[in-house]
Every structure is written in C-alpha cells, then in structure tokens.
Amino acid sequence: MTALEQLGSEKYVLLTTFRRDGRAVPTPLWVVPDGSGLGFWTVAGSGKLKRIRNSGRVTVAPCDMRGNPTGEAIEATARIGDPADLIRVGDGIKKKYGVIGRLTMLGSRLRRGADGTVAVLVTR
C-alpha cells in the first residue's frame, strides 16, 4: 500500500497548496481513495482550486479536524478532474462519510448547483 493510499483511509487530510510567491496555504479536508491516489471535491471558485490551476504542486498529510498534522507530509501533484471524476469522488464521500457526507453533498448541490463543485485528484 502506497503512502497516498494510506492517506485515503484517514478521516481528515491536510492539503497544502502554494501561492505564486511560494507561501504555503494549508487546508484540512475530506478525501477518498482514488486508485493509487486521493480524490476530494471543492467549490469551483475556491482559492485552493486557483492555486492548483497555477501549479499542481501540493503536499498532503494526515491531520485532525482542525488541521493539526498528525504525520509526515508527502509531496504530490494535484489536477482538476472531469465530470466523471466528480461523480466517482462524490460517491466515495457519500460511502466513506455516511449520512454526514450525503447531507454535505446534497447541501452543496442545492446551494451551488450541479456545476458549483469540482473534483481534484492527487497523485505522486
């Protein structure tokens, strides 16, 4: 099992993206395993998505719900997924996080519509 696959079983993962000037921006989030990597969803206009578009360089580490790291960070690459990826990641979140995951996905869809979120895939 790879380090990224292990992170897929964590409840929270700290994703760190990087601004153009190199400053790190950490964000705790839910992730699901996606092949040999990770997947997560985010709001279409979020800052992390803009930073990923600029540079796919990220680090990921296990963390608690407040974003305090509980393990070593791993260098990785993130890319924006297509609509099929969004469906797959959304189904994974519903399965992994149960009722809370389903309610979160439903609330997001009601607030933002079908095109209001995107999937992001993290690989090494």
Side-chain angles (χ1 to χ4, degrees):
M1 182 179 274
T2 68
L4 280 179
E5 288 174 323
Q6 280 184 308
L7 284 175
S9 65
E10 296 285 335
K11 187 166 184 179
Y12 299 99
V13 170
L14 187 66
L15 174 81
T16 303
T17 54
F18 298 90
R19 293 184 177 160
R20 288 179 196 254
D21 64 7
R23 286 183 291 161
V25 182
T27 307
L29 43 80
W30 286 349
V31 297
V32 294
D34 188 61
S36 62
L38 303 172
F40 68 91
W41 62 275
T42 188
V43 176
S46 69
K48 73 176 101 24
L49 194 60
K50 291 175 188 175
R51 291 185 293 276
I52 287 169
R53 278 191 185 111
N54 178 50
S55 165
R57 178 180 166 240
V58 298
T59 63
V60 287
C63 70
D64 62 17
M65 69 185 281
R66 298 202 185 278
N68 300 311
T70 59
E72 288 292 316
I74 300 166
E75 285 279 339
T77 303
R79 71 172 178 84
I80 299 166
D82 60 27
D85 294 325
L86 181 60
I87 291 169
R88 188 178 65 251
V89 169
D91 289 344
I93 288 172
K94 290 174 191 174
K95 182 178 177 185
K96 181 176 177 180
Y97 295 96
V99 173
I100 298 298
R102 288 181 181 281
L103 291 174
T104 301
M105 297 296 289
L106 176 63
S108 177
R109 188 176 187 93
L110 291 175
R111 276 192 312 276
R112 296 181 186 92
D115 297 328
T117 58
V118 296
V120 177
L121 306 175
V122 178
T123 58
R124 271 197 111 167

